[in-house]
Amino acid sequence: MVKPYFYRLFLGLILVASIFGQDARADYWEFSTGFNYTKSTYSGGSYTWNRRLGASLGYNFSDSSTIEIAYQKSYERDHYEAFEDSFYDDQVYSLNLVWSILGRTAWIQPYTKVGIGQLNRKAEIINSAGQTQTQDLGQITGVLGAGLKLYLTKT
C-alpha cells in the first residue's frame, strides 16, 4: 500500500518540474531500478547479509540536472552465533536533486545526489537468552550520494 507521504513527494516532483520554463528544460524522463545482495560469513557460524531493491523516476529539467522520486526497500540480518540475531526491514521514500557532472551527452556520467526522505524501519533483536526487542521507527532522513552511470546504448 502506498503511503500518503509518497503522494506528497510525487506531487512535489510534478510541481518542481512544471516551474521551469519550456526553454530551460531538457524535457525527458528517466526510470531506473536496482538490486543488490551481499553476504559475509565469519568464524563460528556468524554471518551478515543484506538485500536491497530500489526504483526511481526522474525528470531531467536541464542537461545536467534531474529531480527524482525514489523508493528503496532494504532487509538486513546480522547473526552473531551464541550472542545476538538482529533483523532490519527498511523502506525509504525520497525526493532528490541529481546533478550529472559531465552532462547528458557523455557515455560515462558521474553524478551527485542530495535529497530528503521518509525512513520507515522495523527492527527486531533477539539475544542469546531468547529475549526479543522490537522497534518501529518512522523519521525524516537526509539523502546524500554519488555514483556513476554507464550507458550501453543511446538513442
Side-chain angles (χ1 to χ4, degrees):
M1 180 174 157
V2 177
K3 306 288 185 197
Y5 45 81
F6 181 78
Y7 292 119
R8 287 189 296 246
L9 287 174
F10 185 72
L11 290 174
L13 170 69
I14 299 301
L15 177 65
V16 169
S18 66
I19 289 173
F20 297 95
Q22 184 67 26
D23 296 336
R25 287 192 245 166
D27 218 14
Y28 68 97
W29 291 85
E30 189 175 289
F31 176 74
S32 65
T33 60
F35 177 78
N36 181 2
Y37 176 81
T38 59
K39 183 173 183 180
S40 299
T41 303
Y42 309 107
S43 65
S46 298
Y47 58 88
T48 298
W49 65 265
N50 186 302
R51 178 187 66 220
R52 293 177 193 212
L53 176 65
S56 68
L57 176 66
Y59 177 72
N60 294 270
F61 59 88
S62 77
D63 186 49
S64 61
S65 300
T66 304
I67 188 85
E68 84 172 0
I69 187 166
Y71 170 78
Q72 182 171 336
K73 172 80 170 166
S74 175
Y75 189 78
E76 180 177 337
R77 181 175 183 192
D78 301 316
H79 176 78
Y80 303 103
E81 191 67 33
F83 179 65
E84 182 178 274
D85 213 357
S86 57
F87 305 88
Y88 302 96
D89 185 4
D90 296 345
Q91 292 183 23
V92 178
Y93 302 89
S94 63
L95 182 63
N96 309 306
L97 180 63
V98 182
W99 180 61
S100 296
I101 297 167
L102 297 179
R104 180 179 178 185
T105 58
W107 286 84
I108 297 174
Q109 292 185 1
Y111 67 89
T112 60
K113 178 188 294 194
V114 63
I116 188 166
Q118 172 69 36
L119 167 66
N120 298 321
R121 169 175 275 184
K122 294 181 182 187
E124 181 178 307
I125 301 172
I126 304 168
N127 66 19
S128 60
Q131 299 168 325
T132 302
Q133 177 184 0
T134 60
Q135 181 179 11
D136 288 344
L137 174 70
Q139 70 180 30
I140 300 294
T141 186
V143 176
L144 292 174
L148 190 65
K149 294 180 187 178
L150 303 173
Y151 285 92
L152 301 177
T153 62
K154 282 198 170 234
T155 57

